[in-house]
């Protein structure tokens, strides 16, 4: 951790006690902050909501949000007695009216769109924009009222022009005795090079709206006036309505082709340009494996698109044939070259632990086997499809076959394995059989499992789960309560939905075998609907129902006790652990960071215990149990050997942080180092370790390794050169003949196995084909491209996030920052 580098205390030669070690390593993490009073929290909540509204409005004004923010402005309302802000309101910039800020979208609809605001012009509101094409006639168009619309959304009397390079067509509503039932707001942009099917004196007319299509309508009068001015014009009626315009355009194209048979539409490309374009297209399909189907390339409109660009069509057979084989060979050769250049590597396998896609809900059964290189990059090796439960022995065989396939006779080239499963069996067996290997469990999975541990062993989680299930079952099953709940949800948040209940949990009885993730979704639903639930039990009609029902009485009494505080405590802890796990997944820490990361998490959980008055001893026992199950002696060794964690003592030396280790962890360092070197070098390595402990690293090199810079994306301070820790051992610390061999092989090891994410459709898509060989080639190409771009995201998740931006902004605006003390 970064905080380690700022500590300036001297080390001791004797191993410290566990208590002293914990105290020392605690210095690596931030100190707890004092709690705020109730009034200060309320002011903070109001300010936070106000700042959120201002941020959203600022984005909207720049064109990245809802239209109504141009007319609505958030303001702070202050308490006249204390002068402190007490609420956030929305003020209409047009009429100065003030409204609640709970639902800006509803305010805009009721105040602006429905005509309540006297100064609002509906032209500024979003609506269907007619396509303006061609040259407008010199005569003025009929007046239009944009406020009044008919049943199909078209504008009354909305005539328009269709222009080509040779002539102009005036398309106006057809003259009819009776108005049609449906209006047609039509506009058709013709191609610039199209040839008209009619003469320049032809006026093409389609059936229009009911308001402007009568015999004595303004549009008809205007059109009749034009005919009087141009007696040579021929009035042609398109009886098929606007659908005839497409056929009319085709007719124009046919006429043009017949008149100029030698002309070729679109641009003409050279053979080299065509080949290059098709190669780019094929690579795009391969690299988006599972998202883009081969059949979609034969869609008529896609073929038409290629034709407009001057490109020939591309078939499924072409994509899945020689072109695919060639691209696979190129990717495979690049991967082999990069592995061959490295002196050693680490195998990473992710997917043994079944995962459920957050987008589709389907179980993903594809294992990624990748190779982590010392320079910080990774290359894909193979994909393994699994069906259902995977036995440890099978995983062990797959991993060892992969190592032998890469290394040949030089098996020590593989330093170790990091995997999301099988730490106690497959990984341990391989490590015991091959003394040079360091096999680790994924820390993203390890931290996440803390949630499962707490949900099983903390009574608090059982109480909250049982209580939430009672609330959700009562609200969802009692019709009167459910009706009121949905009504108040819509009133408070602008949306309504039933509370989610985990499958198999509706009958009560605690968590049981129910996974905690769906339980947490229920907890989030109850917490986010706190205000609506409170209003339900204050409603007179619901009070009668709840008084007549024993469960209703219990729930009402429960909500007046510690229910909300306990609910918020569970939600807070789960969010804390999930946030830490997501940070680990994103940053992909090295093995030397494991001890500081777990100590940082320990400190945050102790702060949580103090805030919610939870028994710290019980929580510590659960935490320590999970820590020991994840711990590996290589954590301590890498922490000591990584120059990034050196501590400057009072004499100015940068020394390894032995004082942060317990006595057992110090012994682990000695044992691991002697195991990783030959028997002849063991005593030399231990002597060099003592030298490293007393002399450390030159201050200039230590400061260069520990140099940090601000990340432009996240804004956090990060290591400027992550490879410098290993490079110092390889180039500068050459006096440590044996110890440096261990250091360079340990420092680069990854502590997580989570890499890129597959699209949920990939497994189903690949296994549905008979040719598994082609599927494997496509997977290899796609994975190789993702790792090369360092793109670890999931396209489906990105799409879901993109399409939920608007609704998420509304949720942020509508969400009431819940304060348990107010209920």
């Amino acid at each position: 951790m970064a905080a380690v580098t700022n500590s300036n205390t001297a080390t001791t030669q004797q191993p410290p006690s566990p208590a002293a070690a914990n105290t020392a390593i605690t210095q690596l993490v931030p100190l707890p902050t004092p709690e705020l009073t109730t009034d200060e929290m309320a002011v903070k909540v109001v300010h936070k909501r106000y700042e959120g509204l201002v941020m959203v409005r600022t984005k909207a004004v720049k064109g990245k949000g809802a239209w109504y923010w141009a007319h609505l402005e958030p303001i702070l309302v202050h308490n006249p007695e204390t002068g402190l802000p007490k609420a956030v309101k929305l003020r209409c910039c047009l009429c100065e009216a003030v409204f609640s800020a709970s639902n800006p979208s509803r305010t805009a609809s009721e105040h602006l769109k429905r005509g309540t605001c006297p100064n609002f012009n509906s032209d500024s509101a979003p609506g269907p924009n007619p396509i303006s094409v061609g040259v407008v006639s010199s005569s003025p168009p009929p007046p239009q009222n944009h406020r009044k619309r008919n049943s199909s959304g078209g504008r009354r009397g909305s005539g328009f022009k269709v222009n080509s390079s040779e002539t102009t067509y005036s398309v106006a509503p057809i003259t009819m005795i009776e108005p049609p039932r449906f209006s047609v707001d039509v506009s058709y942009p013709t191609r610039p090079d199209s040839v008209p099917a009619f003469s320049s004196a032809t006026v093409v007319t389609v059936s229009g709206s009911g308001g402007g299509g009568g015999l004595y309508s303004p549009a008809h009068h205007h059109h009749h006036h034009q005919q009087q001015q141009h007696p040579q014009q021929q009035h042609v009626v398109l009886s098929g309505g606007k659908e005839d315009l497409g056929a009319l355009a085709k007719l124009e194209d046919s006429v043009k082709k017949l008149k100029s048979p030698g002309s070729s539409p679109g641009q003409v490309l050279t053979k080299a340009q065509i080949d290059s374009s098709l190669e780019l297209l094929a690579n795009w399909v391969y690299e988006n494996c599972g998202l883009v189907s081969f059949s979609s390339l034969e869609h008529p409109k896609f073929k038409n698109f290629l034709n407009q660009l001057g490109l020939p069509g591309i078939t499924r057979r072409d994509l899945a044939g020689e072109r695919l084989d060639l691209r696979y060979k190129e990717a495979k050769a690049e991967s082999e070259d990069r592995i061959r250049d490295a002196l050693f590597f680490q195998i990473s396998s992710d997917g043994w632990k079944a995962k459920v896609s957050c987008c589709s809900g389907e179980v993903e059964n594809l294992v990624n086997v990748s190779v982590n290189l010392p320079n910080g990059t990774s290359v894909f090796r193979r994909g393994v499809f699994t069906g259902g439960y995977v036995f440890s022995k099978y995983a062990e065989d797959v991993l060892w076959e992969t190592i032998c396939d890469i290394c040949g006779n030089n098996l020590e080239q593989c330093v170790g394995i990091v995997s999301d499963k099988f730490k106690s069996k497959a990984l341990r067996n391989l490590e015991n059989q091959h003394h040079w290997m360091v096999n680790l469990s994924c820390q993203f999975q390890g931290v996440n499992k803390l949630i499962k541990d707490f949900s099983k062993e903390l009574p608090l989680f059982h109480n909250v789960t049982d209580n939430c299930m009672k609330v959700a079952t009562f609200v969802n099953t009692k019709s009167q309560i459910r009706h009121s709940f949905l009504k108040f949800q819509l009133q408070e948040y602008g949306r309504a939905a039933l509370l989610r209940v985990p499958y198999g949990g509706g009958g009560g009885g605690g968590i049981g075998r129910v996974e905690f993730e769906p339980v947490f979704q229920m907890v989030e639903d109850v917490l986010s609907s706190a205000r609506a639930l409170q209003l339900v039990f204050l409603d007179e009609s619901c009070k009668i129902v709840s008084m007549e029902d024993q469960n209703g009485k219990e729930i009402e009494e429960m909500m007046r006790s510690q229910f909300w505080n306990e609910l918020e405590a569970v939600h807070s802890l789960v969010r804390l652990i999930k946030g830490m796990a997501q940070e680990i997944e994103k940053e992909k820490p090295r093995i030397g960071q494991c001890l500081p990361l777990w100590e940082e998490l320990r400190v945050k959980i102790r702060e949580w215990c103090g805030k919610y008055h939870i028994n710290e001893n019980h929580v510590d026992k659960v935490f320590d149990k999970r820590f020991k199950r994840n711990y590996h002696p290589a954590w301590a060794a890498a922490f000591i050997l990584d120059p990034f964690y050196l501590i400057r003592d009072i004499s100015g030396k940068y020394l390894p942080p032995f004082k942060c280790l317990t006595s057992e962890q110090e012994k682990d360092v000695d044992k691991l180092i002697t195991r990783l070197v030959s028997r002849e070098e063991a005593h030399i390595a231990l002597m060099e370790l003592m030298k490293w402990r007393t002399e450390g690293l030159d201050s200039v090199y230590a400061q260069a390794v520990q140099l940090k810079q601000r990340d432009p994306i996240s804004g956090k301070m990060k290591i400027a050169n992550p490879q410098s820790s290993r490079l110092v051992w390889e180039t500068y610390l050459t006096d440590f003949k044996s110890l440096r061999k261990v250091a360079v092989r340990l420092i680069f090891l990854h502590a997580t196995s989570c890499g890129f994410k597959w699209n949920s459709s990939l497994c189903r898509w690949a296994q549905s084909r008979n040719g598994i060989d082609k599927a494997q080639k496509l997977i290899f190409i796609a994975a190789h491209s993702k790792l090369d771009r360092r793109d670890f995201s999931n396209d489906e998740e990105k799409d879901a996030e993109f399409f939920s931006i608007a609704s998420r902004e509304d949720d942020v605006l509508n969400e009431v920052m819940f304060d348990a003390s107010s209920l």
Side-chain angles (χ1 to χ4, degrees):
M1 297 301 295
V4 183
T5 63
N6 298 326
S7 177
N8 298 323
T9 57
T11 62
T12 60
Q13 298 298 324
Q14 298 299 324
S17 64
N22 287 336
T23 303
I25 202 169
T26 302
Q27 299 173 3
L28 306 177
V29 296
L31 295 175
T33 55
E35 290 190 42
L36 300 175
T37 65
T38 304
D39 292 339
E40 289 173 337
M41 280 295 296
V43 173
K44 184 178 179 181
V45 168
V46 172
H47 269 294
K48 186 174 181 180
R49 179 160 176 76
Y50 172 72
E51 291 169 0
L53 287 167
V54 171
M55 178 185 68
V56 174
R57 184 178 188 268
T58 303
K59 289 183 179 179
V61 171
K62 295 179 180 178
K64 298 180 180 179
W67 62 272
Y68 50 76
W69 285 113
H71 311 294
L72 300 179
E73 178 186 13
I75 59 173
L76 278 174
V77 178
H78 293 79
N79 189 321
E81 298 178 359
T82 64
L84 297 174
K86 67 174 183 178
V88 184
K89 299 287 185 180
L90 290 179
R91 179 174 61 194
C92 177
C93 301
L94 301 174
C95 65
E96 301 299 321
V98 177
F99 306 93
S100 167
S102 63
N103 196 328
S105 178
R106 186 176 63 193
T107 299
S109 298
E110 295 179 355
H111 180 64
L112 298 177
K113 280 191 174 181
R114 296 182 184 176
T116 307
C117 179
N119 301 326
F120 177 69
N121 182 2
S122 64
D123 291 340
S124 61
N129 296 323
I131 304 174
S132 300
V133 195
V135 181
V136 180
S137 167
S138 60
S139 58
Q144 300 178 5
N145 185 350
H146 296 296
R147 286 180 180 270
K148 298 178 181 180
R149 299 179 183 271
N150 53 26
S151 60
S152 65
R155 295 191 177 98
R156 299 191 179 192
S158 56
F160 59 90
K161 304 288 184 178
V162 179
N163 183 41
S164 71
S165 58
E166 301 181 16
T167 187
T168 300
Y169 298 97
S170 174
V171 184
I174 187 172
T175 301
M176 300 180 67
I177 300 301
E178 294 181 358
R181 292 179 60 191
F182 303 101
S183 64
V184 181
D185 186 10
V186 290
S187 55
Y188 183 80
T190 59
R191 287 172 49 184
D193 57 351
S194 62
V195 175
F198 302 99
S199 66
S200 59
T202 302
V203 176
V204 182
T205 306
V206 299
S207 58
S209 64
L215 180 62
Y216 301 106
S217 66
H220 173 250
H221 177 74
H222 174 67
H223 180 64
H224 181 67
H225 178 69
Q226 281 187 325
Q227 282 186 316
Q228 288 180 335
Q229 287 182 333
H230 305 284
Q232 300 302 320
Q233 280 187 340
Q234 179 184 359
H235 194 138
V236 179
V237 177
L238 300 182
S239 57
K242 69 175 183 178
E243 299 298 331
D244 277 352
L245 291 175
L248 178 61
K250 290 183 179 179
L251 176 60
E252 292 178 356
D253 288 341
S254 300
V255 171
K256 180 180 178 182
K257 290 179 181 179
L258 290 172
K259 286 185 175 181
S260 306
S263 63
S264 175
Q267 56 182 328
V268 178
L269 301 177
T270 65
K271 185 178 184 304
Q273 290 175 319
I274 291 175
D275 292 342
S276 176
S277 300
L278 292 181
E279 183 180 356
L280 289 172
L281 175 62
N283 287 340
W284 173 73
V285 174
Y286 298 151
E287 293 175 12
N288 285 277
C289 178
L291 277 181
V292 182
S293 73
F294 283 20
S295 299
S296 65
L297 301 182
E298 296 186 354
H299 192 282
K301 290 190 176 180
F302 185 77
K303 286 185 175 180
N304 190 33
F305 168 73
L306 294 179
N307 186 44
Q308 292 290 330
L309 297 177
L311 294 172
I314 185 168
T315 64
R316 288 177 293 178
R317 186 177 299 275
D318 183 23
L319 277 177
E322 185 179 351
R323 193 185 296 272
L324 172 63
D325 295 338
L326 181 61
R327 183 68 186 92
Y328 170 73
K329 289 179 181 177
E330 291 176 358
K332 188 75 173 176
E334 290 176 11
S335 175
E336 296 285 358
D337 288 343
R338 292 169 65 181
I339 295 175
R340 195 179 300 113
D341 287 343
L343 293 179
F344 44 82
F345 60 84
Q346 178 192 35
I347 292 291
S348 174
S349 64
D350 175 56
W352 299 113
K353 185 176 177 62
K355 290 179 289 188
V356 178
S357 170
C358 62
C359 297
S360 66
E362 296 180 356
V363 177
E364 300 175 5
N365 59 345
L366 176 59
V367 178
N368 305 318
V369 181
S370 305
V371 179
N372 297 328
L373 304 178
N375 59 12
T377 63
S378 300
V379 293
F380 184 75
R381 186 62 188 181
R382 63 185 295 195
V384 180
F385 289 107
T386 60
Y389 181 78
V390 179
F391 291 93
S392 175
K393 181 59 179 173
Y394 173 72
E396 182 179 338
D397 292 343
V398 168
L399 294 172
W400 185 245
E401 287 171 7
T402 304
I403 294 171
C404 295
D405 184 50
I406 298 174
C407 299
N409 296 326
N410 185 20
L411 295 176
E412 292 190 16
Q413 189 180 2
C414 177
V415 178
I417 303 169
V418 59
S419 178
D420 63 341
K421 199 176 180 182
F422 305 120
K423 176 182 184 291
S424 61
K425 294 181 180 179
L427 298 186
R428 182 170 296 174
N429 288 343
L430 289 173
E431 187 173 284
N432 292 337
Q433 295 168 21
H434 311 286
H435 68 88
W436 65 86
M437 295 187 71
V438 175
N439 296 338
L440 310 167
S441 59
C442 176
Q443 291 314 294
F444 170 74
Q445 298 291 344
V447 170
N448 258 329
K449 286 179 180 176
L450 265 176
I451 298 175
K452 184 177 180 181
D453 296 339
F454 285 134
S455 68
K456 285 184 175 182
E457 301 189 33
L458 288 188
L460 172 68
F461 277 71
H462 291 274
N463 293 339
V464 168
T465 302
D466 287 342
N467 292 339
C468 284
M469 283 184 176
K470 287 179 183 178
V471 172
T473 303
F474 182 73
V475 170
N476 290 351
T477 57
K478 297 294 181 180
S479 57
Q480 179 65 36
I481 301 295
R482 181 175 65 246
H483 176 76
S484 298
F485 175 66
L486 296 176
K487 179 186 71 174
F488 287 126
Q489 268 190 324
L490 196 62
Q491 172 184 309
E492 293 298 314
Y493 316 124
R495 50 181 170 75
L498 294 178
L499 299 173
R500 288 174 290 182
V501 178
Y503 179 75
I511 295 175
R513 295 184 59 84
V514 179
E515 291 292 333
F516 189 75
E517 185 57 35
V519 172
F520 182 66
Q521 292 174 354
M522 177 180 62
V523 169
E524 284 192 310
D525 283 359
V526 174
L527 188 60
S528 62
S529 302
R531 179 61 179 165
L533 287 169
Q534 185 187 32
L535 292 174
V536 166
F537 287 95
L538 290 176
D539 187 68
E540 291 298 330
S541 60
C542 296
K543 278 185 177 181
I544 299 175
V545 176
S546 61
M547 290 300 293
E548 295 176 352
D549 189 283
Q550 183 61 32
N551 289 333
K553 292 179 182 178
E554 292 178 2
I555 292 172
E556 194 170 1
E557 181 65 27
M558 176 183 70
M559 287 188 174
R560 287 197 291 264
S561 59
Q562 294 297 314
F563 172 74
W564 294 112
N565 286 326
E566 291 179 348
L567 183 68
E568 189 179 11
V570 168
H571 183 268
S572 174
L573 180 59
V574 175
R575 295 302 300 172
L576 187 157
I577 297 173
K578 280 192 170 189
M580 190 75 163
Q582 289 169 0
E583 189 73 13
I584 290 174
E585 182 184 28
K586 180 181 178 181
E587 298 298 331
K588 296 177 172 48
R590 299 299 185 261
I591 185 176
Q593 294 175 257
C594 289
L595 286 179
L597 279 174
W598 278 86
E599 190 59 30
E600 179 184 353
L601 182 57
R602 184 196 298 273
V603 170
K604 289 182 177 180
I605 291 177
R606 284 177 176 172
E607 290 177 6
W608 172 83
C609 291
K611 180 178 180 181
Y612 293 101
H613 310 292
I614 307 297
N615 186 338
E616 189 175 300
N617 293 331
H618 193 182
V619 173
D620 270 346
K621 288 180 181 179
V622 178
F623 183 91
D624 289 338
K625 185 177 178 181
R626 175 54 58 184
F627 173 81
K628 290 176 181 177
R629 294 183 66 177
N630 280 273
Y631 173 76
H632 192 286
W635 289 12
F639 182 58
I640 291 300
L641 296 175
D642 193 338
F644 180 76
Y645 299 107
L646 297 180
I647 300 174
R648 187 174 183 269
D649 70 355
I650 56 176
S651 66
K653 289 183 178 181
Y654 281 79
L655 302 174
F658 276 94
K659 68 171 186 176
C660 297
L661 303 181
T662 64
S663 58
E664 290 299 321
Q665 290 170 349
E666 281 198 40
K667 294 175 183 177
D668 289 339
V669 175
D670 295 343
K671 292 177 183 178
L672 184 78
I673 291 175
T674 54
R675 178 169 73 85
L676 295 181
V677 298
S678 64
R679 290 184 179 181
E680 295 76 14
E681 293 181 295
H683 69 286
I684 300 175
L686 291 178
M687 291 175 62
E688 291 176 349
L689 179 62
M690 290 301 297
K691 180 181 178 182
W692 173 249
R693 181 170 187 163
T694 55
E695 296 183 7
L697 180 63
D698 178 86
S699 60
V700 175
Y701 278 89
Q703 292 174 31
V705 170
Q706 296 174 2
L707 185 64
K708 288 188 173 185
Q709 62 185 12
R710 191 172 301 280
D711 181 68
I713 299 177
S714 65
K716 296 181 179 180
M717 297 299 293
K718 294 186 177 180
I719 306 172
N721 183 9
Q723 309 307 320
S724 58
S725 291
R726 174 180 53 84
L727 294 175
V728 163
W729 279 101
E730 290 183 341
T731 60
Y732 180 71
L733 296 171
T734 54
D735 291 341
F736 299 87
K737 301 294 184 183
S738 298
L739 190 61
R740 65 194 290 262
K741 294 178 185 178
V742 177
V744 296
R745 290 169 68 93
L746 278 182
I747 289 173
F748 90 99
L749 292 178
H750 292 230
T752 62
S753 61
C754 41
F756 52 87
K757 299 178 181 178
W758 288 112
N759 302 306
S760 62
S761 59
L762 176 63
C763 299
R764 181 179 66 254
W765 175 86
Q767 294 186 99
S768 65
R769 284 157 168 73
N770 293 328
I772 193 68
D773 179 60
K774 293 189 183 298
Q776 289 283 8
K777 289 178 180 180
L778 285 167
I779 290 170
F780 190 96
I781 294 171
H784 178 76
S785 172
K786 275 182 169 288
L787 287 174
D788 194 45
R789 302 194 311 266
R790 301 188 68 81
D791 178 11
F792 303 105
S793 60
N794 179 289
D795 291 331
E796 290 175 339
E797 291 179 3
K798 288 193 291 186
D799 287 346
E801 181 180 0
F802 171 75
F803 286 114
S804 66
I805 287 177
S807 60
R808 187 165 66 245
E809 284 184 355
D810 282 344
D811 287 345
V812 170
L813 297 173
N814 297 331
E815 186 178 79
V816 178
M817 297 299 291
F818 173 64
D819 181 7
S821 62
S822 65
L823 296 179

